[in-house]
Amino acid sequence: MDLKEELFAYFIGGYEQYYAHMDTAAKKQLRQIAPMAFAKWYYATIMPETILTPVNIIESYTCGNEKTEDYEPVYTLHMQKGKKGTAKYVCKEVRYAVENHPLVADLKTLAAFCDPDCTVDERGCFTIEDAQKILPKLAFEDLYYIEYLMLLAQQMGLVEPAPAIHTYKMRKGHKLDAFLQKDAKQQMQDLLWAGCALAAERLTEALDLDEGMVDAAFFHHYLEDHQSTDVFFLDFFALLDVNLENVWHKDMEEMTEEDHALMSSFLFLGLVTDKWFFLPMGLFFHVIRPMYFMPFSFSKTINSMASLIAMGQNPMREILTPPSYYSLSILGRELTAKEELSPNMQGMPNVDDKEEMIRAVEMQLHLMTYEQVVQKNKPPQVIQMRVYLDKSPLMWKEVEIPLQFSLDLWCHDIAMAFGMEDVEDYILSVPNADGVMVKYGPDGSKKTFRKVTNMTIAMLEPRENDQWHMHMESGNLTIEVLELMEGDAYRMYPRIYKQSKKITEWEKGFDQDHF
């Protein structure tokens, strides 16, 4: 097995290992998002604070004489159905070139599907059923990719709304023929500007910015050179007369309430800009090559996505993280680069003994695999609980928590899970062995003598079918102990693994789906 195949086998093995231990209800969506997870892994370093990303390694040490300045070779993950419904992971090379760009071909495929017309949702995007039919024909097999293409096509007038009664339909746009008659370079430049305009619209909507504060030119500027993404965020907050760097350099205990609010808005800005700018420009257009300085975590990523699925939320939220740095690709240097480029931080060194470097990479992969196996030898003891609002018993969540988890931290976490943030005081009532309710409270509370400080859940000696109560100013919770059990070593705890439809609908009312 050569190094390239070994890298792919490492990702597929790691993803499948954790996927196999997730709840059945989450597995379908985890399969669907696997190509996006692969793409993020493809640009993440395998060794912290280095430039040893799979794409850099493959290009430098396995392409050899095949390296070209005519196209950007990219590997993407595809899911192929096997026997008896099984799925097979297949890595394919896709060549991105200005003269023959897969994105243009995919836009043609979408437009053809809309001729004479097709049913869409209120955003003008394909139904899940139609999207699944089209995905195998596309260069990047992901639901967000097809959604982005449709929005980009509408932005360009390549598809447009069709007359319909009590439904939404889309048809081939009146600008499609004119677009296809342009030369390839002009097509790509037009699409890039449309992508930047789409990013500006989404950012303006998500952050409720003044119209015109950011526009297509604002985003296009960051495609002209190799770039640390810190520069983008500093520039954006400067538009708001905020010096973000001052807050970055503060210790947590020095931060004011305003600083915390600023950091919260910064994190949300990262989600929005990654979804609508960094990710499309890197994974769909390939005008930039992103780089993440920290290794991809199978455990955190897959567990977090499974929890989001259980709560009826978009698992892509876990994938959306802006890169630490990005350089212009072969396409970017042709389409958007300014005359002089700054040094490229992703430039791999010229190593005389390439075999020695390959051995070092292989050793790192084997070490990471070994650490995963060792880490999974000691599954925790966990407690399963159903927690619901007293006034709304149909609003419930089922959770699993390690018995050695901090009791005080769990009380705050479960309150936040029901939208009760900043809970400082509470009373937790738990039955003892005689069935007498014993009251506990946080350190500093005047309502109870028994404090939860330094206590774990195990110290309450929970029993199956116990019923606990948690009283707060913002509401009351009832906690039913369902089962004490050995946890799964591949799952991260505490975790929400199930919740009622009613609470899922309630949470969607607060969900900012335009992130």
Side-chain angles (χ1 to χ4, degrees):
M1 184 184 295
D2 64 20
L3 182 59
K4 178 178 66 179
E5 295 302 323
E6 188 169 351
L7 282 165
F8 295 159
Y10 171 74
F11 173 85
I12 293 169
Y15 196 89
E16 185 65 22
Q17 184 179 50
Y18 286 90
Y19 162 87
H21 288 262
M22 295 301 108
D23 298 305
T24 302
K27 286 186 174 179
K28 182 178 179 181
Q29 284 185 258
L30 287 174
R31 286 282 196 204
Q32 291 175 341
I33 204 169
M36 184 65 76
F38 175 87
K40 285 286 183 168
W41 165 85
Y42 190 64
Y43 294 103
T45 181
I46 65 169
M47 299 172 68
E49 303 302 324
T50 71
I51 59 173
L52 291 176
T53 61
V55 61
N56 286 341
I57 294 168
I58 289 170
E59 182 180 271
S60 298
Y61 299 103
T62 67
C63 290
N65 296 329
E66 296 178 16
K67 189 172 180 180
T68 175
E69 292 296 322
D70 297 328
Y71 61 87
E72 183 85 0
V74 177
Y75 283 90
T76 59
L77 185 72
H78 295 260
M79 307 302 297
Q80 290 186 355
K81 291 184 178 180
K83 296 179 180 179
K84 297 181 181 179
T86 59
K88 181 182 179 182
Y89 301 86
V90 178
C91 295
K92 298 179 181 178
E93 184 189 44
V94 181
R95 297 184 175 185
Y96 285 81
V98 173
E99 295 298 324
N100 186 24
H101 201 290
L103 188 145
V104 175
D106 290 344
L107 284 170
K108 292 179 184 177
T109 299
L110 265 61
F113 197 86
C114 296
D115 189 14
D117 61 40
C118 68
T119 301
V120 293
D121 62 20
E122 64 274 11
R123 300 169 303 153
C125 294
F126 290 123
T127 63
I128 292 293
E129 293 76 18
D130 283 345
Q132 297 290 3
K133 295 176 185 176
I134 303 169
L135 276 177
K137 304 175 183 178
L138 304 182
F140 193 86
E141 195 172 330
D142 180 79
L143 288 172
Y144 175 56
Y145 178 57
I146 198 169
E147 173 190 335
Y148 183 84
L149 287 182
M150 279 297 282
L151 295 173
L152 185 67
Q154 292 173 58
Q155 188 86 11
M156 293 280 294
L158 308 183
V159 297
E160 61 189 20
I165 300 175
H166 304 307
T167 188
Y168 300 94
K169 287 189 175 292
M170 199 67 66
R171 64 186 178 191
K172 185 176 75 171
H174 66 282
K175 294 184 179 180
L176 177 64
D177 292 338
F179 171 76
L180 295 177
Q181 290 174 6
K182 296 181 179 181
D183 65 74
K185 187 171 184 178
Q186 189 61 56
Q187 286 178 348
M188 288 306 304
Q189 288 175 335
D190 288 352
L191 288 169
L192 279 168
W193 278 102
C196 290
L198 183 58
E201 288 177 9
R202 293 301 166 131
L203 185 60
T204 298
E205 178 187 359
L207 297 184
D208 195 23
L209 303 176
D210 291 338
E211 198 67 33
M213 179 175 286
V214 294
D215 56 13
F218 174 84
F219 280 98
H220 197 277
H221 167 72
Y222 296 97
L223 299 176
E224 296 174 356
D225 199 359
H226 311 310
Q227 197 72 264
S228 166
T229 50
D230 287 353
V231 174
F232 172 88
F233 293 114
L234 290 170
D235 289 350
F236 174 79
F237 277 97
L239 293 176
L240 306 176
D241 294 324
V242 173
N243 189 330
L244 184 63
E245 200 164 12
N246 288 343
V247 182
W248 276 347
H249 292 155
K250 285 186 179 181
D251 293 328
M252 286 296 293
E253 58 271 15
E254 296 177 329
M255 285 191 176
T256 64
E257 188 174 331
E258 185 178 318
D259 292 336
H260 284 290
L262 182 64
M263 291 307 296
S264 179
S265 65
F266 164 66
L267 293 173
F268 182 65
L269 174 66
L271 288 175
V272 177
T273 51
D274 193 43
K275 180 173 183 179
W276 297 108
F277 182 63
F278 297 122
L279 186 152
M281 295 301 156
L283 306 188
F284 303 161
F285 282 95
H286 284 283
V287 292
I288 62 174
R289 176 179 291 185
M291 181 167 66
Y292 303 87
F293 286 141
M294 293 301 294
F296 181 92
S297 170
F298 292 102
S299 177
K300 178 181 180 298
T301 303
I302 297 172
N303 273 279
S304 296
M305 290 194 301
S307 290
L308 288 168
I309 292 167
M311 292 185 286
Q313 298 183 23
N314 189 343
M316 190 175 168
R317 286 175 181 263
E318 180 59 30
I319 295 291
L320 294 175
T321 306
S324 310
Y325 170 85
Y326 59 87
S327 55
L328 295 190
S329 67
I330 292 170
L331 280 72
R333 290 195 291 272
E334 182 173 352
L335 293 170
T336 60
K338 60 184 182 182
E339 291 185 5
E340 286 190 33
L341 294 176
S342 57
N344 181 5
M345 289 175 58
Q346 296 201 57
M348 294 285 279
N350 293 319
V351 180
D352 293 333
D353 189 355
K354 291 187 177 181
E355 291 299 322
E356 182 178 343
M357 178 60 76
I358 290 172
R359 285 194 296 271
V361 171
E362 289 175 335
M363 286 181 62
Q364 179 65 17
L365 293 180
H366 294 158
L367 176 63
M368 292 165 71
T369 302
Y370 175 74
E371 288 175 347
Q372 289 173 4
V373 173
V374 171
Q375 179 186 352
K376 301 308 166 189
N377 282 337
K378 296 181 179 179
Q381 294 298 306
V382 302
I383 180 172
Q384 282 188 341
M385 298 175 168
R386 171 177 285 201
V387 185
Y388 59 86
L389 287 169
D390 281 4
K391 292 184 178 180
S392 304
L394 294 179
M395 303 273 281
W396 55 263
K397 294 175 183 277
E398 291 188 2
V399 299
E400 291 177 344
I401 314 100
L403 285 172
Q404 298 305 320
F405 196 72
S406 161
L407 182 57
D408 185 43
L409 183 56
W410 176 77
C411 288
H412 284 92
D413 284 353
I414 202 64
M416 289 185 64
F418 282 84
M420 305 176 201
E421 299 183 6
D422 302 323
V423 172
E424 296 182 1
D425 200 1
Y426 56 84
I427 298 174
L428 179 66
S429 301
V430 180
N432 62 16
D434 298 321
V436 177
M437 298 303 288
V438 180
K439 296 180 179 180
Y440 299 85
D443 192 31
S445 173
K446 297 180 180 179
K447 297 178 180 179
T448 60
F449 291 106
R450 296 176 179 83
K451 308 303 180 186
V452 298
T453 307
N454 299 323
M455 287 188 68
T456 64
I457 293 175
M459 292 178 183
L460 297 178
E461 299 182 354
R463 294 167 295 278
E464 292 181 8
N465 301 317
D466 275 355
Q467 192 170 88
W468 303 357
H469 298 277
M470 188 171 171
H471 305 280
M472 300 156 287
E473 287 187 8
S474 49
N476 300 322
L477 299 174
T478 294
I479 302 110
E480 296 176 353
V481 177
L482 302 177
E483 186 177 355
L484 303 175
M485 56 188 287
E486 183 179 276
D488 189 316
Y490 288 86
R491 291 175 177 166
M492 290 177 62
Y493 302 98
R495 74 185 193 109
I496 297 170
Y497 66 93
K498 188 188 298 185
Q499 67 182 32
S500 66
K501 290 182 179 179
K502 187 169 183 180
I503 203 166
T504 297
E505 292 169 0
W506 176 73
E507 288 174 340
K508 283 184 177 179
F510 297 92
D511 186 26
Q512 292 172 294
D513 197 37
H514 50 242
F515 70 95

